[in-house]
């Protein structure tokens, strides 16, 4: 071995050995009630939660940094998990904390992250999931689901249950499919794509992002969609029995059924469209400032 | 947005910085060092002979490098900011501009005061976010600003429009939601429970 090779080998050994020593793997378990609340907080990395058929919470935490500390507090009704860095300094440190949990199916989940992704599968209890830049993905059953991310995407997949789903994004995209019941959502520049069966209530708004909804409306459904400059597209599954109240300050209104839109004033570029389709009953209100509005039944 | 006054028109208040400013721009060496250096090079003569490889020396060198590297890695992991240049570590995060609502918006001073109170917490949380997240927030505040301006211009034409007033209120709410989401997520569960 030459001197050069010896130095090289030493440098490689140092680079590999030191970070490996900093990593922590921690496993925690607690017996809980079937509908216990599980609160999780993480900064960067991931939070993965899956339901199982035990009244028990299991956590496997992989902390890449030895500066991170894991807090795990458990009682019968509540489990609280938090990854904390006492000095609060992350800076350019990309070390992650990856939390994998198994919880009872009926658990209530509250998860909060900064850049960590959140994914939840099979949990039938109420969910409140919030991230700043991480993605959020979950399944909706019958309990309410609130999912939000500032710049990450939000995906909610329904299972045919009658869940009340709410999504909030700033620049990320919300995608909601297979949900029955109600959907509320807000977005700034991101988009909302939703497919809802037997919709009772749809309330969506955006600043500049587009909103596209495919919905089957119940006889008493109430739909409100609003955007400043985004495009609103509503496709209603026939037969359509609804009262439509559509207005745009300067955007176009397109409809593949019913009458044509008319100008609201000879002084402003606005247009509106009010009519009853079929027997009426459901109520649809769409509004934009400059964004285009499109409704259709196919 | 806060700025730190500095430069010829704004002399620094810090006495240390003021003294630093008084230091001479050029410092001449006490004597010409080059002749002595040139003489030392000339004395060097022929190239040194290649020495035979010695295991104990190589092993000691390897252990020394491993120890120093491990210590350096450990210190970086414990305190990555301390290892960076002071100027970079202390560089302020790119700032953001809250939405300014126009004269037709009807946003009250009380509503703006409530927002400013939230902004105090948001500013701290914003500085700790990843650069790409800060950039996304800055861009979306600009999107909201454009929307607020557009609505304000439309309200100038139609001040009584409930639709426009509702959109303005919605934009204001979206702005507050953005700040609130970042603050609560950054603070984790400590603020929520």
């Amino acid at each position: 071995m030459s001197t050069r090779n010896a130095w090289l080998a030493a440098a490689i050994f140092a680079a590999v050995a030191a970070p490996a020593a900093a990593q922590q793997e921690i496993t925690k378990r607690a017996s809980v009630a079937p509908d216990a609340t599980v609160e999780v907080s993480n900064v960067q990395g991931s939070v993965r939660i899956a339901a199982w058929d035990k009244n028990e919470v299991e956590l496997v935490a992989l902390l890449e940094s030895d500066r991170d500390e894991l807090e795990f507090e458990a009682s019968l009704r509540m489990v609280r998990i938090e990854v904390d860095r006492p000095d609060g300094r992350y800076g350019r440190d990309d070390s992650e904390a990856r939390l994998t949990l198994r919880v009872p199916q009926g658990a209530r989940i509250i998860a909060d992250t900064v850049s960590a992704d959140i994914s939840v599968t099979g949990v039938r209890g109420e969910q409140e999931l919030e991230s700043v830049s991480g993605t959020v993905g979950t399944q909706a059953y019958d309990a309410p689901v609130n999912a939000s991310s500032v710049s990450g995407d939000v995906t909610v997949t329904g299972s045919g249950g009658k869940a009340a789903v709410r999504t909030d994004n700033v620049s990320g995209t919300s995608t909601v499919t297979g949900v029955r019941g109600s959907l509320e959502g807000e977005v700034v520049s991101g988009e909302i794509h939703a497919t809802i069966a037997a919709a009772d209530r749809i309330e969506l708004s955006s600043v500049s992002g587009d909103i596209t909804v495919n919905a089957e409306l119940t006889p008493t459904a109430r739909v409100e969609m609003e955007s400043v400059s985004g495009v609103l597209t509503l496709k209603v599954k026939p037969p359509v029995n609804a009262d439509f109240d559509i207005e745009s300050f300067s955007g176009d209104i397109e409809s593949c059924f019913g009458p044509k839109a008319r100008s609201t004033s000879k002084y402003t570029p606005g247009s509106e469209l009010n009519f009853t389709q079929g027997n009426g009953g459901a109520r649809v209100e769409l509004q934009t400032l400059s964004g285009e509005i499109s409704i259709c039944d196919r | 947005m806060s700025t730190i006054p500095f430069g010829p028109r704004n002399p620094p208040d810090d006495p240390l910085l003021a003294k630093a400013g008084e230091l001479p721009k050029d410092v001449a060496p006490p004597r010409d060092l080059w002749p002595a250096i040139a003489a030392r090079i000339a004395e060097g003569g022929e190239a040194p002979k290649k020495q035979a490889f010695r295991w104990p020396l190589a092993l000691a060198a390897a252990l020394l490098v491993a120890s120093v590297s491990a210590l350096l890695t450990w210190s970086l992991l414990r305190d990555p900011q301390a290892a960076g240049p002071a100027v970079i570590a202390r560089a302020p995060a790119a700032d953001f501009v809250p939405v300014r609502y126009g004269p037709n918006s009807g946003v009250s001073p009380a509503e703006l005061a409530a927002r400013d109170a939230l902004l105090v917490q948001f500013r701290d949380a914003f500085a700790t976010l990843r650069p790409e997240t800060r950039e996304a927030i800055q861009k979306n505040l600009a999107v909201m600003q454009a929307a607020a301006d557009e609505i304000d211009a439309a309200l100038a034409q139609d001040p009584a429009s409930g639709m426009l007033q509702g959109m303005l209120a919605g934009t204001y709410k979206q702005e507050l939601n953005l700040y609130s989401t970042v603050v609560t997520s950054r603070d984790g569960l400590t603020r929520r429970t």
Side-chain angles (χ1 to χ4, degrees), chain A residues 118-287:
Chain A
I118 301 171
S119 72
V120 182
T121 52
V123 175
R124 292 164 184 271
E126 188 178 339
Q127 301 174 45
E128 292 177 39
L129 316 172
E130 187 171 292
S131 180
V132 176
S133 60
T135 60
V136 177
T138 188
Q139 295 170 317
Y141 292 87
D142 291 306
V145 172
N146 289 333
S148 70
S149 180
V150 172
S151 59
D153 293 341
V154 171
T155 306
V156 179
T157 306
S159 60
K162 203 170 168 60
V165 175
R166 178 176 177 88
T167 65
D168 288 279
N169 275 107
V170 174
S171 58
T173 295
S174 281
T175 305
V176 179
T177 54
V179 167
R180 300 170 68 91
S182 72
L183 171 64
E184 292 180 39
E186 290 185 359
V187 71
V188 177
S189 65
E191 298 182 352
I192 299 175
H193 302 280
T195 302
I196 307 164
D200 286 333
R201 182 169 181 79
I202 299 172
E203 193 175 330
L204 304 171
S205 69
S206 84
V207 176
S208 66
D210 297 343
I211 301 175
T212 304
V213 174
N214 290 279
E216 175 192 6
L217 304 181
T218 62
T220 57
R222 187 169 178 84
V223 178
E224 294 176 15
M225 291 165 57
E226 177 184 288
S227 180
V228 177
S229 58
V231 175
L232 302 183
T233 304
L234 173 64
K235 292 180 182 173
V236 185
K237 185 178 178 182
V240 182
N241 295 298
D243 303 311
F244 289 85
D245 184 357
I246 302 169
E247 182 180 2
S248 181
F249 187 79
S250 61
D252 293 334
I253 298 174
E254 300 284 339
S255 173
C256 71
F257 58 85
K260 296 292 178 193
R262 65 177 183 82
S263 177
T264 51
S265 164
K266 61 183 177 180
Y267 304 109
T268 60
S271 56
E272 63 182 13
L273 179 57
N274 302 298
F275 68 101
T276 297
Q277 182 74 5
N279 299 325
R283 183 158 184 78
V284 178
E285 294 180 16
L286 311 178
Q287 296 181 330

Side-chain angles (χ1 to χ4, degrees), chain A residues 7 67 112 130 189 290, chain B residues 65 77-78 140 150 184 192:
Chain A
W7 281 87
R67 295 191 300 147
D112 238 328
E130 187 171 292
S189 65
S290 57
Chain B
V65 170
L77 287 169
R78 283 197 70 79
N140 280 280
E150 199 176 349
T184 54
R192 294 181 61 154

